[in-house]
Amino acid sequence: QEQLVDSGGGSVQAGKSVRLSCKASYIIYNLYSLAWFRQAPGKEREGVAVRNTVGEYLYADSVMGRFTISPDKAKNTLYLQMNGVRPEDTGMYYCAADPRRINGIHDLDLKSVKYWGQGTQVTVSS
């Protein structure tokens, strides 16, 4: 059964760091684009970072230079390292698997996601 399990997160002060994990099944990890979406209260879910099917890492402008994806192929896990977090980074973060090759962050589309993690909350206080 294909699945995604995301974890990490929590409450953190602005300027600090937090790391999210996305553990995938073998097939998802190796054949899908893996992305993180976030949803702030009252706002739409938005894509913030993705590792596409050819191993490229793409980031939204709002997190560029602060968030970094790193892989652990042995564990079929991707990590999202979030440095210098800001209150506007607060939200529920979801790992997502999309079967398409994502060529730009704006290619991310909720309707194209085939698998979702359960979500993990990140709360940044000022």
Side-chain angles (χ1 to χ4, degrees), residues 18-76:
V18 63
R19 190 178 77 163
L20 308 183
S21 300
C22 175
K23 182 170 177 57
S25 64
Y26 178 86
I27 289 177
I28 290 176
Y29 184 87
N30 287 283
L31 298 182
Y32 284 69
S33 292
L34 285 175
W36 270 273
F37 287 78
R38 70 182 177 193
Q39 188 164 20
K43 294 188 177 181
E44 295 185 352
R45 196 171 296 189
E46 62 173 352
V48 296
V50 61
R51 184 220 64 189
N52 68 10
T53 54
V54 293
E56 297 172 326
Y57 300 104
L58 307 168
Y59 302 92
D61 289 345
S62 59
V63 307
M64 186 79 70
R66 300 188 299 120
F67 292 10
T68 303
I69 295 174
S70 60
D72 186 336
K73 188 173 178 63
K75 295 181 179 179
N76 295 332

Side-chain angles (χ1 to χ4, degrees), residues 6-21 36-41 48 63 66-67 80-95 118-126:
D6 41 24
S7 61
S11 296
V12 62
Q13 288 187 325
K16 302 297 185 181
S17 298
V18 63
R19 190 178 77 163
L20 308 183
S21 300
W36 270 273
F37 287 78
R38 70 182 177 193
Q39 188 164 20
V48 296
V63 307
R66 300 188 299 120
F67 292 10
L80 182 67
Q81 180 69 39
M82 304 166 58
N83 296 330
V85 295
R86 304 167 179 169
E88 55 264 38
D89 294 323
T90 293
M92 187 69 80
Y93 284 72
Y94 299 90
C95 186
Q118 78 278 14
T120 185
Q121 177 70 33
V122 175
T123 302
V124 182
S125 58
S126 58

Side-chain angles (χ1 to χ4, degrees), residues 94-121:
Y94 299 90
C95 186
D98 187 318
R100 304 172 300 150
R101 173 179 172 173
I102 304 298
N103 294 310
I105 200 69
H106 296 294
D107 286 346
L108 288 173
D109 181 355
L110 297 177
K111 296 178 182 178
S112 297
V113 172
K114 187 170 183 180
Y115 300 100
W116 288 98
Q118 78 278 14
T120 185
Q121 177 70 33

